[in-house]
C-alpha cells in the first residue's frame, strides 16, 4: 500500500518534467472558459496543465493558474466545499489568489495573464508581452 501511495505523485512529478516550452499564448473559445461561479477545470497550455476557476459569488471572476504545485509539481485542484486550491500530494493549500495558506509549498501558484481577444475569445499567456503579440496576430 505504501508503494502504491508513492507511485501516483511520482508519476505526476515525472510527467511534468517536460522539455517542450509552452506556447507564447493560447486563444480559448468560449466553451473552454465559460464556467459557472464556483466551478473549475483543468486544460492544457502546451505541455503545462492550467487550472481555470470562476470564483464563487459575489466576486465571480475568472482566475487562471499554473496547475502544478510549487512544492513537488503535483497537479492542484479547486475544492469548492472549502473554497481553496488543494495539492493532495502533501496537503498544500492555496487561497483563490494563489497564495500559500498551509503545507510545504514554498511559493504561490503562478497566475496566467488574460485578456479578451474579441467578444467571444479569451487569450492567455504566462507573460504580459505575449498578450500583445496575440492581439497583433489575431486582429
Amino acid at each position: 500500500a505504501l508503494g502504491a501511495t508513492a507511485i501516483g505523485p511520482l508519476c505526476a512529478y515525472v510527467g511534468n518534467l517536460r522539455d517542450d516550452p509552452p506556447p507564447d499564448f493560447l486563444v480559448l473559445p468560449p466553451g473552454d472558459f465559460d464556467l459557472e461561479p464556483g466551478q473549475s477545470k483543468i486544460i492544457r497550455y502546451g505541455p503545462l496543465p492550467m487550472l481555470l476557476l470562476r470564483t464563487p459569488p459575489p466576486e465571480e471572476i475568472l482566475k487562471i493558474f499554473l496547475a502544478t504545485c510549487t512544492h513537488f509539481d503535483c497537479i492542484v485542484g479547486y475544492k469548492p466545499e472549502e473554497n481553496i486550491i488543494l495539492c493532495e500530494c502533501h496537503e498544500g493549500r492555496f487561497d483563490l489568489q494563489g497564495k500559500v495558506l498551509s503545507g510545504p509549498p514554498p511559493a504561490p501558484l503562478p497566475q496566467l495573464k488574460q485578456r479578451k481577444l474579441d467578444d467571444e475569445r479569451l487569450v492567455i499567456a504566462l507573460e504580459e508581452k505575449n498578450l500583445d503579440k496575440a492581439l497583433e496576430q489575431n486582429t
Side-chain angles (χ1 to χ4, degrees):
L2 180 59
T5 306
I7 295 294
L10 183 61
C11 289
Y13 177 74
V14 171
N16 285 322
L17 296 176
R18 297 175 177 90
D19 292 330
D20 298 333
D24 288 340
F25 59 87
L26 184 64
V27 177
L28 300 176
D32 282 357
F33 66 91
D34 284 343
L35 301 171
E36 293 295 318
Q39 283 188 324
S40 68
K41 71 190 239 184
I42 300 281
I43 66 170
R44 304 297 298 177
Y45 183 79
L48 305 173
M50 296 182 306
L51 174 68
L52 278 70
L53 165 66
R54 175 85 53 195
T55 60
E59 203 175 33
E60 301 182 15
I61 296 172
L62 181 67
K63 305 254 181 159
I64 306 172
F65 297 98
L66 196 57
T68 53
C69 183
T70 57
H71 172 239
F72 199 57
D73 281 346
C74 294
I75 306 299
V76 300
Y78 175 61
K79 295 295 177 188
E81 61 278 359
E82 297 179 51
N83 204 29
I84 61 164
I85 299 169
L86 176 68
C87 176
E88 293 187 357
C89 289
H90 300 106
E91 297 294 318
R93 296 172 184 272
F94 302 87
D95 68 13
L96 300 188
Q97 307 305 314
K99 296 178 186 169
V100 178
L101 295 173
S102 66
L109 291 172
Q111 192 166 353
L112 279 81
K113 313 298 185 240
Q114 59 179 298
R115 193 179 300 161
K116 280 290 206 176
L117 186 59
D118 50 36
D119 288 342
E120 296 183 5
R121 299 176 298 164
L122 181 73
V123 62
I124 60 174
L126 291 170
E127 299 177 15
E128 190 76 31
K129 68 180 181 181
N130 290 332
L131 291 178
D132 295 331
K133 183 189 287 188
L135 292 174
E136 289 171 11
Q137 292 181 12
N138 287 280
T139 53

